[in-house]
Amino acid sequence: MRGIFPEDLISMVLSPDFLQRIKDSALYEPKRQLFLIDGTVGIECPDYNGYRLSRSFIDSLPSTVTGHVDFELKTKFGLNAVLEDLKDMLGGEAFVNCRFIIPHFKTADIELHFDSKGQAKPITTTTQQSLLYQPVSVEVLQKRERQVLLDDDTMHGLLGLKKLHKRQEAQPENLNTFRKVAVIVLGINQCLAGADRLLGLTQMKVRQLEKLGFSVMLVYPSEVLDLEKSSKDTRLQFLAQRLQHALDI
């Protein structure tokens, strides 16, 4: 969480031999923690050359570790309401996507894309896949370098939100001319009690989203409560203003 990464220790923990020892002898196999460490190294340590979790290990993780979007929408207070309001604001379901943008964090967020003119862009499978690092299995490469996640050049030259409320038909995306926004609807377990201050794990998540080229829009628990009591117009105005602030326009 503090951005300190002892690479030799991380490589030892993620090595096949150590993982097998945990599986054979530990009363509790810390799959969630291992997934978090591996994914964090993939984003925050571009020069890391040590072991990574294998694809087979990641694919075997249960939903209790990787999360489930439907469960998040049903149980996380305010998430579904914000998602529906953003659909109405931006032009429909094609322009918003609720998913685990960073898989090793077990909380779903809302992804938005905008073009250079400030219009919402449809989100496609291709653009989603371009945001994820692709770890190489340790069965193939015991030592590896992290792949480049995104070309920083694609994240420059961006936008205004003057046409934010205008509905439009979905058009094919040009991967070189869009800006990404991650909307995080915060729960009470992600902030200090009674304060709009992020806990360490959520601070790390925000930092990693920004490293992946996202502008991050936060909706705090107290704001979620206020939105629940507000009119539709008030909610849309709040989201538009917060979105503009996230994009620094």
Side-chain angles (χ1 to χ4, degrees), residues 187-199 221:
I188 57 175
N189 61 341
Q190 293 175 286
C191 299
L192 291 177
D196 289 341
R197 291 181 58 190
L198 302 181
L199 295 179

Side-chain angles (χ1 to χ4, degrees), residues 11 14-16 19 37-43 48 50-54 58 133-138 141-142 144-147:
S11 186
L14 297 180
S15 68
L19 294 177
I37 292 170
D38 179 76
T40 294
V41 166
I43 294 174
Y48 177 76
Y51 286 108
R52 296 289 305 277
L53 293 179
S54 68
I58 294 174
Y133 64 93
Q134 302 293 328
V136 177
S137 170
V138 292
L141 297 175
Q142 290 191 333
R144 56 151 292 166
E145 293 184 1
R146 169 186 164 252
Q147 295 177 347

Side-chain angles (χ1 to χ4, degrees), residues 167-226:
R167 292 177 180 270
Q168 58 175 329
E169 296 298 322
Q171 299 293 329
E173 271 189 291
N174 180 341
L175 297 184
N176 293 320
T177 58
F178 73 93
R179 183 169 186 177
K180 309 182 305 296
V181 177
V183 181
I184 303 179
V185 180
L186 295 161
I188 57 175
N189 61 341
Q190 293 175 286
C191 299
L192 291 177
D196 289 341
R197 291 181 58 190
L198 302 181
L199 295 179
L201 189 64
T202 307
Q203 289 184 32
M204 184 169 71
K205 179 180 183 178
V206 170
R207 183 174 73 233
Q208 291 183 17
L209 283 167
E210 291 174 342
K211 285 179 178 290
L212 289 174
F214 282 86
S215 296
V216 178
M217 168 181 159
L218 301 175
V219 183
Y220 290 95
S222 59
E223 294 170 331
V224 174
L225 285 172
D226 291 339

Side-chain angles (χ1 to χ4, degrees), residues 6 22 39 45 47 83 176 198 208 233:
I22 293 175
C45 301
D47 297 323
L83 178 67
N176 293 320
L198 302 181
Q208 291 183 17
D233 287 345

